[in-house]
C-alpha cells in the first residue's frame, strides 16, 4: 500500500466535482439520497456467509458501502461492505430493470446503498445477493483511496480514522478486540463482587500518581482545575466509606511526551479491594490476562514487539533487589549506606535524577529502571519497590525501606501497578510532605498535598489492595500493535499547518 494524499477541500479535485455534479442531478430529479432517513436491513454479510444453506434462495435486505464495481454492459458485480464484512452484489439489467440499472451504473465507489435480493452462489462459487432493487442511501462526495494503493501513511491513517476503518478491515478488528477486553475485565471483576463507579475528571488537586497534569479554568468558580492523572484517591475515599470492592474504567490525562507507548490521554482501570493486599492484586492481574488469552484468543501464545510471549498461568514473581542482583550484578541487600548505594549505581553507569534524593532506595530504583526493564520480556511481577518512589504504598514489615508494591512487565513494557495501600494517615502525611519538598526542588510530577484525602484517612481505612492497569497497552499486546496509536481510535495528533 502506498501513501494516501487527502483531498483538499478547496479547490475540490476533478473526481470530487464529478460526484457533486451527480448529486446535484439527483436532487434536480427529486431523488436526493440525503432525504432518506432509514433502511430496514434483514441480514448482514457475515450471517449470510456463515449460514448459506439457511439463506439460499431467500430474499434479504442488505445495506453498506460500495467498495468495488466490476463489469459493464448488462451485468455488474459489486462488493458491498457492511458492519460485519463484505458480500458480492450481482446486478443484472434484466432483473433490476433498465431505468434502475442505468441509475445504479452512475453510483460511485464509496456510495452507501441498500439492496434487496435473493441469496445465491455464482458459477465461481461466490456467495452473492442477486439484486432485485437498489436504493442510494448516501452519496460519497470524496473518492476513497485507490484499490491497490490504499491508506498506509500512518499520520493520515490516525488523522482520518474514518477512512482507515473503511479501507483497512484489520483496523476495525483491533477495536472490536479492545471492546471485548474491556467487557472481559468488567465481567471478571463483577463476578468477584466488585462495583463499577465513576469519579470526577476535573479536580482541584492533581493526585494519585506522579505525573504532570493538564490545567484548565472553571469560569463560574474562577479557579484553576486539573484533569485527573489517576482515579486512585477518589476510589480510596469510597473504600473508606464502606464500598469494599470498587473499580473504574476511564480516561486519564497526563501532560507528557508522546511515543509508541504513551499518549496524553489514555484509558486505565483502577480497582481497590478492602481486606486484601498486593498478592491478591497479582492474582487478579494474572487471572485477567490469562483468561482473556484462553477464552477469547484461544491461545496463551502471542507475538508482540518482535517477541513470542507465553501468557500461561504461573508468572514469575521477583523482588526488585533480586532483579537488580540478577541483571546488574549489584547486591543492594549487602548495602546499607546511602552514599555507598549511589556510588554502586554510578559504577554501572546509572545516574540519579537531579530532583531525586541521593538515597539507597532511589539508587536501587534507578538501577532497575535503567538496566533491568529491558530484560523483562516474558510476563514478570517485580515486587518490593523503594518507599521513595511509592508515596501511597504500605511499607514492608520486613524492610521499612521497601513497600508492598509490584509492577508487571511484558516485552519490557510496564503493564500495571499495584500496592498494599498505605492506610496510616500520619505516615501518609509525612510522605506527602516529602513529595511537596520534591516539587519545590523542581519535580513538577511529584504528588500534591491532598488535605481532604488525609482527612478521609483519619476516619480509618481498612487494609486494602489496589491496582491500575493500562487498557491501551494490554490491547497492544493482544493485537500485536507496535504503537499505542494503533489501539486508540482518535489519538492525540499535532495540528497540521
Amino acid at each position: 500500500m502506498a501513501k494516501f494524499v487527502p483531498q483538499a477541500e478547496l479547490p475540490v479535485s476533478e473526481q470530487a466535482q464529478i460526484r457533486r455534479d451527480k448529486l446535484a442531478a439527483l436532487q434536480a430529479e427529486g431523488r436526493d439520497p440525503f432525504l432518506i432517513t432509514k433502511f430496514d436491513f434483514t441480514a448482514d454479510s457475515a450471517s449470510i456467509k456463515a449460514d448459506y444453506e439457511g439463506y439460499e434462495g431467500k430474499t434479504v435486505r442488505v445495506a453498506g458501502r460500495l467498495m468495488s464495481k466490476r463489469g459493464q454492459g448488462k451485468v455488474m458485480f459489486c462488493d458491498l461492505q457492511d458492519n460485519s464484512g463484505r458480500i458480492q452484489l450481482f446486478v443484472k439489467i434484466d432483473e433490476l430493470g433498465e431505468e434502475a440499472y442505468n441509475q445504479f451504473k452512475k453510483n460511485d465507489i464509496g456510495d452507501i446503498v441498500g439492496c434487496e435480493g435473493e441469496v445465491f452462489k455464482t458459477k465461481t462459487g461466490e456467495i452473492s445477493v442477486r439484486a432485485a432493487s437498489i436504493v442510494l442511501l448516501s452519496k460519497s462526495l470524496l473518492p476513497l483511496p485507490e484499490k491497490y494503493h490504499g491508506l498506509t501513511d500512518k499520520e493520515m491513517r490516525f488523522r482520518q480514522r474514518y477512512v482507515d476503518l473503511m479501507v483497512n478491515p484489520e483496523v476495525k478488528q483491533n477495536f472490536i478486540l479492545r471492546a471485548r477486553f474491556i467487557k472481559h475485565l468488567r465481567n471478571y471483576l463483577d463476578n468477584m463482587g466488585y462495583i463499577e463507579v465513576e469519579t470526577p475528571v476535573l479536580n482541584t488537586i492533581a493526585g494519585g500518581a506522579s505525573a504532570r497534569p493538564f490545567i484548565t479554568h472553571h469560569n463560574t468558580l474562577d479557579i484553576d482545575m486539573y484533569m485527573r492523572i489517576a482515579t486512585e484517591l477518589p476510589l480510596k475515599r469510597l473504600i473508606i466509606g464502606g464500598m469494599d470492592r470498587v473499580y473504574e474504567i476511564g480516561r486519564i490525562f497526563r501532560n507528557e511526551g508522546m511515543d509508541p507507548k504513551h499518549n496524553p490521554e489514555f484509558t486505565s482501570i483502577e480497582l481497590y479491594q478492602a481486606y486484601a493486599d498486593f498478592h491478591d492484586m497479582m492474582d487478579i492481574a494474572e487471572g485477567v490476562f490469562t483468561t482473556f488469552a484462553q477464552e477469547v484468543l484461544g491461545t496463551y501464545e502471542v507475538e508482540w514487539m518482535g517477541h513470542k510471549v507465553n501468557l500461561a498461568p504461573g508468572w514469575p514473581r521477583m523482588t526488585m533487589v533480586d532483579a537488580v542482583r540478577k541483571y546488574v550484578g549489584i547486591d543492594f541487600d549487602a548495602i546499607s549506606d546511602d552514599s555507598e548505594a549511589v556510588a554502586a549505581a554510578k559504577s554501572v553507569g546509572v545516574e540519579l535524577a537531579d530532583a531525586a534524593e541521593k538515597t539507597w532506595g532511589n539508587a536501587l530504583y534507578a538501577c532497575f529502571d535503567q538496566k533491568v526493564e529491558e530484560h523483562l520480556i516474558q510476563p514478570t511481577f517485580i515486587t518490593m519497590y523503594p518507599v521513595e518512589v511509592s508515596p501511597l504504598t504500605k511499607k514492608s514489615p520486613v524492610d521499612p525501606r521497601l513497600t508492598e508494591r509490584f509492577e508487571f512487565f511484558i516485552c519490557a513494557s510496564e503493564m500495571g501497578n499495584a500496592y498494599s495501600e498505605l492506610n496510616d494517615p500520619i505516615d501518609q502525611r509525612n510522605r506527602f510532605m516529602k513529595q511537596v519538598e520534591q516539587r519545590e526542588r523542581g519535580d513538577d510530577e511529584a504528588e500534591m498535598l491532598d488535605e481532604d484525602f488525609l482527612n478521609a484517612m483519619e476516619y480509618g481505612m481498612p487494609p486494602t489492595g489496589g491496582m491500575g492497569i493500562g487498557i491501551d497497552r494490554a490491547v497492544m499486546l493482544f493485537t500485536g500493535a507496535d504503537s499505542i496509536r494503533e489501539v486508540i481510535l482518535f489519538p492525540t495528533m499535532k495540528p497540521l499547518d
Side-chain angles (χ1 to χ4, degrees):
M1 295 189 291
K3 182 176 180 180
F4 166 62
V5 180
Q7 298 292 337
E9 285 213 8
L10 288 174
V12 295
S13 69
E14 183 178 350
Q15 287 187 64
Q17 186 58 58
I18 292 171
R19 290 174 180 237
R20 282 165 170 75
D21 292 342
K22 288 182 179 180
L23 174 63
L26 288 169
Q27 292 169 332
E29 296 168 7
R31 295 190 292 114
D32 186 348
F34 297 122
L35 294 180
I36 299 174
T37 61
K38 185 176 181 179
F39 183 85
D40 290 318
F41 64 89
T42 61
D44 60 31
S45 59
S47 61
I48 293 171
K49 290 182 176 181
D51 184 22
Y52 174 70
E53 291 184 359
Y55 278 101
E56 183 181 13
K58 293 183 178 179
T59 297
V60 297
R61 289 165 61 85
V62 293
R65 188 182 298 275
L66 291 176
M67 300 303 293
S68 70
K69 292 170 66 179
R70 304 175 297 281
Q72 53 186 352
K74 297 183 178 182
V75 177
M76 296 184 69
F77 297 90
C78 308
D79 284 328
L80 183 80
Q81 180 168 286
D82 61 18
N83 183 60
S84 64
R86 293 189 184 187
I87 194 164
Q88 180 172 270
L89 302 184
F90 176 78
V91 187
K92 191 175 182 182
I93 189 170
D94 294 343
E95 297 173 3
L96 193 63
E98 184 174 354
E99 181 180 357
Y101 185 81
N102 289 332
Q103 289 174 356
F104 176 74
K105 284 175 63 177
K106 297 177 183 178
N107 289 349
D108 294 301
I109 304 302
D111 286 354
I112 296 173
V113 302
C115 174
E116 182 172 335
E118 179 185 297
V119 175
F120 79 112
K121 280 185 180 178
T122 63
K123 293 179 180 179
T124 59
E126 180 78 14
I127 298 174
S128 308
V129 176
R130 188 190 306 272
S133 66
I134 296 180
V135 57
L136 178 63
L137 301 173
S138 183
K139 185 68 185 168
S140 175
L141 299 180
L142 288 175
L144 297 183
E146 294 178 34
K147 176 181 177 182
Y148 296 106
H149 294 259
L151 179 62
T152 59
D153 181 272
K154 285 192 173 183
E155 287 288 310
M156 291 314 304
R157 284 185 50 234
F158 302 147
R159 290 183 190 279
Q160 297 190 357
R161 182 68 85 186
Y162 40 91
V163 182
D164 189 25
L165 291 167
M166 290 178 208
V167 300
N168 294 323
E170 69 280 2
V171 171
K172 187 175 182 179
Q173 294 306 310
N174 285 349
F175 293 102
I176 291 174
L177 192 70
R178 179 190 177 103
R180 294 183 72 181
F181 179 67
I182 293 172
K183 182 179 180 181
H184 178 79
L185 263 175
R186 284 193 166 103
N187 290 340
Y188 193 98
L189 294 175
D190 290 348
N191 289 336
M192 290 185 65
Y194 277 78
I195 298 172
E196 183 174 9
V197 298
E198 295 174 304
T199 63
V201 171
L202 293 176
N203 296 279
T204 55
I205 293 173
S210 296
R212 185 179 298 113
F214 286 98
I215 304 174
T216 187
H217 190 78
H218 191 293
N219 291 335
T220 302
L221 297 178
D222 193 25
I223 58 171
D224 285 341
M225 300 192 78
Y226 302 90
M227 299 183 75
R228 68 184 179 193
I229 58 173
T231 55
E232 178 167 351
L233 301 187
L235 292 175
K236 284 184 178 178
R237 287 174 170 92
L238 299 180
I239 291 288
I240 293 167
M243 299 179 71
D244 284 355
R245 298 189 181 198
V246 293
Y247 73 91
E248 179 170 13
I249 298 173
R251 287 299 240 203
I252 303 297
F253 307 87
R254 296 184 181 178
N255 197 351
E256 58 189 15
M258 295 186 291
D259 61 37
K261 296 180 183 178
H262 294 86
N263 193 65
E265 59 174 311
F266 59 95
T267 304
S268 78
I269 179 170
E270 288 198 40
L271 54 126
Y272 294 86
Q273 180 177 333
Y275 313 109
D277 68 2
F278 74 141
H279 293 289
D280 298 289
M281 295 300 108
M282 274 187 263
D283 293 339
I284 292 174
E286 182 175 318
V288 165
F289 277 67
T290 58
T291 55
F292 183 78
Q294 182 184 49
E295 296 170 12
V296 177
L297 301 184
T299 177
Y300 292 125
E301 304 288 336
V302 298
E303 290 194 18
W304 189 38
M305 300 292 185
H307 300 283
K308 292 184 177 181
V309 178
N310 185 352
L311 296 173
W315 297 0
R317 304 179 180 191
M318 182 185 304
T319 69
M320 185 174 288
V321 169
D322 287 342
V324 170
R325 183 188 299 117
K326 177 178 180 179
Y327 293 106
V328 184
I330 299 176
D331 184 1
F332 274 83
D333 271 344
I335 300 173
S336 57
D337 182 72
D338 287 339
S339 59
E340 184 183 350
V342 173
K346 191 171 184 178
S347 71
V348 293
V350 174
E351 296 284 348
L352 275 64
D354 291 340
E357 287 186 272
K358 304 306 183 280
T359 64
W360 179 93
N362 279 330
L364 169 64
Y365 180 73
C367 286
F368 171 79
D369 185 50
Q370 297 178 37
K371 295 290 186 177
V372 176
E373 284 189 20
E374 64 190 55
H375 298 285
L376 304 177
I377 303 304
Q378 299 303 319
T380 306
F381 290 106
I382 299 296
T383 68
M384 312 309 290
Y385 276 55
V387 68
E388 290 92 334
V389 296
S390 310
L392 298 164
T393 313
K394 184 169 286 191
K395 290 179 182 177
S396 165
V398 177
D399 186 342
R401 298 174 300 179
L402 300 174
T403 63
E404 290 196 341
R405 173 186 175 187
F406 75 78
E407 292 181 314
F408 68 101
F409 295 83
I410 302 174
C411 291
S413 297
E414 182 237 314
M415 308 298 289
N417 186 18
Y419 316 146
S420 294
E421 302 294 336
L422 179 61
N423 62 343
D424 178 346
I426 297 173
D427 189 1
Q428 182 66 84
R429 178 176 289 278
N430 291 335
R431 294 204 219 173
F432 269 148
M433 295 312 298
K434 286 185 178 292
Q435 292 286 299
V436 170
E437 292 172 5
Q438 199 164 316
R439 291 184 70 85
E440 291 173 350
R441 290 196 299 270
D443 184 358
D444 59 357
E445 294 188 2
E447 285 278 354
M448 292 184 180
L449 179 63
D450 189 333
E451 286 286 358
D452 181 73
F453 177 65
L454 291 171
N455 184 67
M457 287 189 71
E458 290 187 0
Y459 281 97
M461 176 177 166
T464 298
M467 177 165 59
I469 295 175
I471 301 292
D472 309 296
R473 286 193 191 173
V475 178
M476 287 175 65
L477 167 70
F478 290 123
T479 60
D482 61 2
S483 168
I484 195 170
R485 294 182 177 187
E486 295 285 1
V487 298
I488 296 176
L489 277 169
F490 300 103
T492 305
M493 305 292 290
K494 183 180 179 180
L496 293 171
D497 294 332

